[in-house]
Amino acid sequence: MSKILIIEDEESIAELEKDYLELSGFEVETERRGDTGLVRAMQDDTDLVILDLMLPGADGFEICRRIREKKDIPVIMVSAKKDDIDKIRGLGLGADDYMTKPFSPSELVARVKAHLARYERLIHSNVKENDILEIRGIKIDRTARRVWVNGEERSFTTKEFDLLAFLAQNPNHVFTKEELFREIWDMESIGDIATVTVHIKKIREKIEFDTSKPQYIETIWGVGYRFKV
Ligand code: CA
């Protein structure tokens, strides 16, 4: 259940908003002062704030700005004066919506629902799944940079991981040592292509059952290596 915080010093308005929101199934908290309201707004369980502009303790401008610095939750600002609403918009404080008093409580409920649904969608679209390659018993998580061989995690150095992930994401493609060196070490290294051979050996020790008969990284004599699928 979403928790709504109403920061409003006019008791009758706060009560009316609270009643309508509770009837719609929301959990509602009210605060009469700006300063205590801000403290409450910063708590983890607050999902949306309905914020009056003129308040004792700290005004709505200040509260909205402070919430925006720390939290990504919808803020609906309300004011008795149309002029104030225009001013708030002009300031670009980052409120999600503005309502002029008096407004219909059902209109407020509708907007609360719409903003919560929009944030919900945003949160879900930001959660990206890890980029994982799975090839015959090897699982390579390119997001977390972790590797499992038959379910058992193996640790890799940065370059070993980069080299393995590069080969595995281009399966059956034969790369020369020069190409691999350029791809993985780029210009940052003063090493030579023998480095590639050394790293391939290290990777094989971690992923191959028998390094003399590699099942994953195959040597193509006179050319280079490929990840066999
Ligand atoms: Ca007020």
Side-chain angles (χ1 to χ4, degrees), residues 8-10 52-55 101:
E8 170 65 72
D9 58 334
E10 284 171 72
D52 184 31
L53 183 62
M54 299 309 288
L55 292 160
K101 293 182 208 173

Side-chain angles (χ1 to χ4, degrees), residues 189-203:
S189 172
I190 52 162
D192 56 60
I193 59 166
T195 311
V196 177
T197 316
V198 172
H199 279 73
I200 293 284
K201 183 168 176 289
K202 291 257 167 62
I203 293 168

